[in-house]
């Protein structure tokens, strides 16, 4: 247990120093709209014009099963038949377009696909042919942040939306986690 705490503090310190040098578009721990229902949402869930007004609202870190969640999501009625994916959306404003690449900082267990303004921006541990019912193809070391460069042309001046589907390895998985930051 002590080793986990030390590792977390080292990684958190690294993440803090990275985030301090960048301008945030989406802060770690932000408020998101989320859907954790037993059936997948409308296939347009990741697009700019999708109406998410009936989705729940909470702050990241999202998930269940680890005890470190800010917002605990539901795993449904049956512990042996949990929904494979949970869905998240967040709006952000861009005043001036960044000239440098964006940096995505992602905490996810097990896999995720990220869309910015309806375009796929990044995929982790998911098959090449994405479907909302796809199982994750692997997992990451829990509590480890991924840092990934993204094309700055994904954002536009004004209102933008980032949409994320977090996928499980199996319907019996004991935990799920999600948080995200986007910086330039």
């Amino acid at each position: 247990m002590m080793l986990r705490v030390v590792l977390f503090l080292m990684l958190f310190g690294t993440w803090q120093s990275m985030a301090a040098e960048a301008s945030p578009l989406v802060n770690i721990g932000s408020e998101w709209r989320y859907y954790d229902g037993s059936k997948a949402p409308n296939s347009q869930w990741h697009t700019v014009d999708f109406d998410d007004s009936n989705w729940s609202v909470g702050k990241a870190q999202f998930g269940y099963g680890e005890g470190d969640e800010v917002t605990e999501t539901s795993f449904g009625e049956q512990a042996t038949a949990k929904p494979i994916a949970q869905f998240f959306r967040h709006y952000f404003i861009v005043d001036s377009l960044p000239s440098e690449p964006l940096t995505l900082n992602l905490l996810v267990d097990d896999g995720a696909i990220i869309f910015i303004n309806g375009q796929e921006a990044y995929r982790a541990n998911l098959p090449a042919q994405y479907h909302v019912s796809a199982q994750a193809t692997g997992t990451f070391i829990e509590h480890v942040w991924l840092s990934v460069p993204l094309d700055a042309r994904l954002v536009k001046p004004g209102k933008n939306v980032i949409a994320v589907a977090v996928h499980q390895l199996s319907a019996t998985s004991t935990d799920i986690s999600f948080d995200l930051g986007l910086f330039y």
Side-chain angles (χ1 to χ4, degrees):
M1 178 66 171
M2 184 60 152
L3 179 60
R4 274 182 98 172
V5 171
V6 170
L7 181 59
F8 173 76
L9 291 174
M10 287 174 23
L11 293 171
F12 187 73
T14 301
W15 165 80
Q16 280 186 319
S17 65
M18 288 187 311
E21 299 169 8
S23 298
L25 294 172
V26 178
N27 283 311
I28 301 292
S30 288
E31 185 173 275
W32 293 70
R33 292 193 169 275
Y34 68 96
Y35 177 80
D36 58 357
S38 59
K39 294 183 179 164
N42 176 302
S43 64
Q44 299 300 305
W45 69 271
H46 65 285
T47 63
V48 173
D49 296 326
F50 178 76
D51 180 10
D52 60 15
S53 61
N54 64 341
W55 286 21
S56 300
V57 177
K59 286 191 172 192
Q61 178 176 339
F62 292 92
Y64 59 80
E66 292 182 12
D68 59 354
E69 303 85 9
V70 174
T71 300
E72 188 171 326
T73 58
S74 173
F75 60 77
E77 304 287 319
Q78 299 177 359
T80 58
K82 298 172 184 144
I84 267 315
Q86 296 188 350
F87 304 85
F88 303 87
R89 291 172 56 90
H90 179 82
Y91 298 92
F92 61 97
I93 303 296
V94 173
D95 294 324
S96 60
L97 291 176
S99 58
E100 303 290 323
L102 304 173
T103 300
L104 172 74
N105 289 333
L106 177 65
L107 178 72
V108 66
D109 179 6
D110 293 310
I113 188 166
I114 293 109
F115 297 91
I116 298 177
N117 296 323
Q119 293 184 5
E120 183 177 335
Y122 182 70
R123 178 188 306 229
N125 290 337
L126 286 174
Q129 294 298 328
Y130 176 72
H131 189 272
V132 293
S133 64
Q135 290 180 302
T137 58
T139 190
F140 295 103
I141 299 171
E142 294 179 25
H143 310 291
V144 173
W145 288 86
L146 302 173
S147 185
V148 179
L150 297 179
D151 189 336
R153 294 175 292 185
L154 289 165
V155 299
K156 61 183 182 173
K159 188 175 181 180
N160 291 260
V161 65
I162 187 165
V164 180
V166 176
H167 289 251
Q168 298 279 53
L169 272 172
S170 75
T172 59
S173 181
T174 60
D175 59 358
I176 190 170
S177 297
F178 168 68
D179 200 350
L180 178 150
L182 186 63
F183 304 89
Y184 67 95

